[in-house]
């Protein structure tokens, strides 16, 4: 299974390939289903575990996802089962998918039904565009291999531990979030619309530096 | 020029004349695909401008570089570079700190789950 393939794109391809299901049973498959549609060939046993609940194999569909997420509260357990069931697959794939599932499952694991309920009530009211953007937000991330290579070249040591890669990727992703949000603020101030332009990003970067969110170099950078 | 023996698969890189890991020549667009999705998720257009993506990539690489340099400074007193050094650096930024601790604990959970699964598999194998 190609790890290099973007799960985002794979999900889209699957969506195009298969027709929407006829009977949208309120299957608490949640987002696992569309991740499953990627792993269909491999995770027979994993899907069997889920199918024990009597769910039909549903493909990723925006509406279904919203439905399924709202149907979530009945189903925190198969999530855990699914985690172990998929454990035999490659680590990389797993981390991508389980990130999403375990993150949703974390709401349940935290034992905070209020938070979970709130989250679901919000998610159920998302428009399609919002849902797709949220999906992008949750699923996107830096490729571990690329980040590892970058860190190795920066530290000079060949071995970079996996937790370190995870931490730096997380920090970098949030930094991108800060940048993009600040750029949007700049755009509203200038009353502009459309895609974000480099001038907005530069202004956003300047503001972040003033706020102190960007680590400062003790030595100015020469000869870039 | 001999390749650095410690380089992880850097030779696969296309268009890079120097396979050395410590080269400052950075291939453009390493994070391009990921960044496009990420920027959309955070509020940009579904198709961000390529120049914006390139600029954000440069900024992120510089950010990570500075972060790593600072972490190495902090870690040099102790010796080895550890994950805790990064956590120390972002201690003032609460959202990032919480997110990182969450990610690390999730990673631990997954490791435990995988371990437990493998133990079960072994048990099944021995039973049969």
């Amino acid at each position: 299974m190609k790890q290099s393939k973007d799960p985002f794109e794979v999900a889209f391809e699957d969506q195009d390939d298969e027709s929407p299901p006829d009977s949208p049973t309120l299957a608490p498959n949640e987002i696992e289903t569309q991740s499953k549609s990627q792993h269909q060939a491999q995770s027979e046993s994993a899907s069997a575990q889920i199918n024990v609940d009597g769910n039909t194999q549903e493909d990723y569909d925006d509406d279904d996802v919203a439905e399924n997420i709202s149907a979530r509260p009945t189903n925190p357990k198969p999530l855990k089962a699914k985690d172990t069931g998929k454990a035999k697959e490659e680590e990389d794939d797993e981390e991508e998918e389980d990130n999403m599932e375990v993150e949703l499952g974390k709401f349940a694991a935290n034992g905070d039904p209020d938070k979970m309920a709130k989250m679901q009530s919000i998610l159920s009211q998302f428009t399609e565009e919002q849902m797709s953007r949220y999906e992008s937000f949750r699923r996107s991330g830096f490729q571990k291999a690329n980040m590892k290579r970058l860190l190795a070249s920066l530290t000079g040591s060949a071995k970079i531990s996996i937790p370190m890669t995870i931490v730096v990727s997380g920090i970098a992703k949030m930094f991108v979030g800060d940048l993009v949000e600040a750029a949007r603020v700049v755009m509203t101030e200038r009353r502009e619309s459309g895609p974000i332009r480099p001038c907005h990003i530069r202004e956003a970067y300047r503001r972040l530096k003033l706020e102190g969110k960007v680590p400062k170099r003790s030595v100015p950078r020469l000869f870039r | 020029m001999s390749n650095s023996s410690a380089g992880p698969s850097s030779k696969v890189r296309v268009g890079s004349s120097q396979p050395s890991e410590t080269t400052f020549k950075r291939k453009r667009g390493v994070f391009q695909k990921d960044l496009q999705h990420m920027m959309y998720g955070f509020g940009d257009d579904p198709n961000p401008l390529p120049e914006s993506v390139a600029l954000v990539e440069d900024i992120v690489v510089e950010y990570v570089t500075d972060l790593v340099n600072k972490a190495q400074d902090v870690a040099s007193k102790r010796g080895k570079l550890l994950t805790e050094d990064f956590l120390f650096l972002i201690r003032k930024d609460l959202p990032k700190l919480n997110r990182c601790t969450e990610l690390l604990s999730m990673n631990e959970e997954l490791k435990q789950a995988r371990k437990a699964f493998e133990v079960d598999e072994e048990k099944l194998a021995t039973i049969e």
Side-chain angles (χ1 to χ4, degrees):
Chain A
M1 146 87 96
K2 290 270 180 69
Q3 167 49 27
S4 55
K5 204 144 194 231
D6 197 3
F8 196 70
E9 290 173 13
V10 177
F12 270 130
E13 288 171 29
D14 287 333
Q15 186 183 0
D16 288 340
D17 289 344
E18 279 122 1
S19 57
D22 300 327
S23 59
T25 59
L26 259 197
N29 277 3
E30 320 107 28
I31 298 194
E32 296 171 9
T33 29
Q34 89 254 6
S35 60
K36 231 179 337 114
S37 56
Q38 301 171 30
H39 297 284
Q40 249 168 18
Q42 300 160 23
S43 59
E44 297 302 330
S45 63
S47 51
Q49 275 183 355
I50 302 295
N51 282 338
V52 166
D53 295 339
N55 305 328
T56 56
Q57 280 264 340
E58 290 186 352
D59 306 311
Y60 170 60
D61 196 65
D62 274 346
D63 299 328
D64 280 349
V65 170
E67 267 179 61
N68 293 334
I69 291 182
S70 53
R72 246 199 142 267
T74 60
N75 222 3
K77 277 196 212 119
L79 196 78
K80 296 286 183 251
K82 180 128 209 267
D83 274 350
T84 54
K86 293 182 68 171
K88 61 183 178 186
E89 286 159 21
E90 286 143 48
E91 222 176 83
D92 287 342
D93 297 335
E94 220 182 332
E95 298 236 359
E96 297 243 14
E97 298 317 316
D98 282 343
N99 268 344
M100 185 69 138
E101 294 153 15
V102 176
E103 279 191 58
L104 285 177
K106 260 236 147 191
F107 291 140
N110 281 343
D112 197 352
D114 287 338
K115 211 171 178 185
M116 239 182 64
K118 227 196 254 185
M119 201 64 203
Q120 280 163 40
S121 68
I122 296 176
L123 286 176
S124 59
Q125 294 175 24
F126 269 2
T127 66
E128 206 168 302
E129 195 235 337
Q130 287 174 324
M131 196 63 207
S132 126
R133 201 181 281 268
Y134 182 67
E135 178 86 3
S136 252
F137 164 65
R138 291 295 285 265
R139 280 171 166 257
S140 65
F142 291 106
Q143 289 281 3
K144 274 219 291 241
N146 288 334
M147 187 55 79
K148 220 176 182 183
R149 199 187 308 150
L150 175 63
L151 286 178
S153 75
L154 286 175
T155 58
S157 81
K159 262 218 172 153
I160 303 287
S161 64
I162 301 254
M164 195 173 297
T165 318
I166 295 178
V167 164
V168 175
S169 301
I171 298 178
K173 178 172 175 181
M174 293 192 71
F175 178 68
V176 170
D178 287 340
L179 258 184
V180 172
E181 287 174 9
R184 273 296 182 199
V185 166
V186 166
M187 278 182 83
T188 50
E189 285 173 14
R190 298 188 191 174
R191 274 179 276 265
E192 291 169 357
S193 65
I196 297 182
R197 302 208 300 274
C199 60
H200 304 132
I201 297 184
R202 278 190 218 106
E203 172 64 18
Y205 185 56
R206 189 188 69 91
R207 292 188 192 185
L208 285 183
K209 269 202 275 196
L210 290 176
E211 282 180 36
K213 295 213 164 146
V214 178
K216 270 198 272 226
R217 315 190 109 244
S218 44
V219 181
R221 189 164 193 171
L222 308 169
F223 316 121
R224 192 182 289 226
Chain B
M1 172 178 279
S2 60
N3 301 338
S4 66
S5 50
S9 72
S10 57
K11 290 95 176 165
V12 190
R13 202 176 296 191
V14 177
S16 172
S17 53
Q18 292 158 344
S20 161
E21 277 300 306
T22 53
T23 180
F24 291 144
K25 196 185 294 186
R26 181 145 293 129
K27 202 166 81 112
R28 287 284 153 148
V30 179
F31 295 122
Q32 196 196 21
K33 291 214 82 194
D34 311 318
L35 270 182
Q36 281 177 341
H37 293 313
M38 213 183 283
M39 287 173 72
Y40 171 54
F42 278 120
D44 199 357
D45 233 42
N47 292 318
L49 296 177
E51 47 263 25
S52 303
V53 176
L55 178 60
V56 172
E57 176 176 352
D58 285 341
I59 292 180
V60 165
V61 168
E62 187 175 331
Y63 177 78
V64 171
T65 308
D66 294 343
L67 197 68
V68 168
N69 284 338
K70 282 203 148 174
Q72 279 181 313
D73 289 341
V74 168
S76 63
K77 299 171 196 142
R78 199 189 314 113
K80 231 176 142 193
L81 181 63
L82 297 174
T83 318
E84 283 71 28
D85 300 318
F86 289 103
L87 297 180
F88 174 72
L89 284 178
I90 57 168
R91 68 195 185 282
K92 296 282 178 62
D93 195 341
L94 278 173
K96 293 203 176 78
L97 186 62
N98 291 334
R99 174 66 179 163
C100 285
T101 44
E102 182 187 345
L103 284 173
L104 286 173
S105 62
M106 249 171 48
N107 190 37
E108 280 307 309
E109 252 185 72
L110 284 175
K111 265 205 293 199
Q112 299 305 325
R114 268 177 234 142
K115 219 194 227 171
F117 181 76
E118 269 158 39
V119 169
D120 289 340
E121 277 223 324
E122 279 180 34
K123 273 200 207 150
L124 283 177
T126 52
I127 287 176
E128 288 163 17

